[in-house]
């Protein structure tokens, strides 16, 4: 199993400067730029199944009050990143609104750029 520091750094950059920033500011162009078109978002929120296409997910982000504008605390944290060749998984914790999300983002390196090809999430009751 080979891990490349430059790949880990590129994924860290994508998560911190595109994913977290896009969610926090409600910037769907920024957020959408790191999702592979047609990818899916699966999981559960408060025990209720959650499924959206990337386009529907981004539309939801666009049409909600951003965490930045809500005035509520927001904290995105990378818990781990595992890279194997051209695939990777990032485990994140995202505190926003009144939720504490655990996200698993699957990445694939396409044309030299790390893109999210799948997102899974759940809300932790803490």
């Amino acid at each position: 199993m080979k891990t490349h520091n430059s790949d880990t750094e590129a994924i860290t950059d994508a998560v911190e400067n595109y994913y977290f920033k896009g969610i926090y500011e409600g910037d769907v162009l920024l957020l959408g730029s790191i999702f592979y078109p047609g990818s899916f978002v699966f999981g559960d929120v408060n025990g209720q199944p959650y499924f959206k296409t990337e386009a529907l997910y981004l539309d939801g982000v666009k049409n909600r009050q951003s965490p930045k504008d809500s005035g509520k605390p927001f904290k995105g944290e990378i818990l781990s990143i595992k890279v194997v060749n051209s695939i990777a998984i990032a485990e994140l914790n995202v505190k926003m609104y009144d939720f504490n999300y655990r996200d698993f983002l699957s990445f694939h390196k396409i044309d030299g750029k790390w893109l999210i090809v799948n997102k899974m999430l759940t809300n932790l009751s803490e």
Side-chain angles (χ1 to χ4, degrees):
M1 192 159 87
K2 226 158 65 170
T3 302
H4 303 287
N5 281 340
S6 61
D7 289 325
T8 302
E9 288 169 9
I11 293 167
T12 299
D13 178 67
V15 170
E16 290 179 347
N17 297 309
Y18 293 83
Y19 184 74
F20 288 153
K21 188 173 182 194
I23 289 171
Y24 176 65
E25 296 178 354
D27 186 336
V28 293
L29 292 177
L30 187 66
L31 184 58
S33 71
I34 60 158
F35 273 87
Y36 184 78
S39 55
F40 294 104
V41 180
F42 293 98
D44 65 85
V45 178
N46 294 332
Q48 295 302 307
Y50 183 99
F51 167 76
K52 290 188 176 180
T53 62
E54 156 261 352
L56 283 173
Y57 167 71
L58 292 172
D59 192 55
V61 170
K62 178 179 160 186
N63 290 301
R64 71 177 181 208
Q65 184 183 42
S66 71
K68 181 180 180 180
D69 292 339
S70 75
K72 293 189 176 186
F74 176 90
K75 183 177 182 206
E77 180 183 9
I78 298 171
L79 302 176
S80 68
I81 296 174
K82 293 187 175 108
V83 179
V84 181
N85 296 325
S86 67
I87 62 170
I89 188 120
E91 182 179 0
L92 316 174
N93 202 72
V94 182
K95 291 183 181 181
M96 57 187 263
Y97 305 119
D98 297 319
F99 296 97
N100 185 27
Y101 291 109
R102 183 64 46 93
D103 293 352
F104 290 93
L105 304 179
S106 298
F107 284 87
H108 184 64
K109 193 173 190 178
I110 301 168
D111 296 327
K113 183 177 179 185
W114 287 99
L115 295 174
I116 298 168
V117 294
N118 186 60
K119 172 180 172 174
M120 294 192 308
L121 72 136
T122 190
N123 178 42
L124 305 172
S125 53
E126 290 184 338

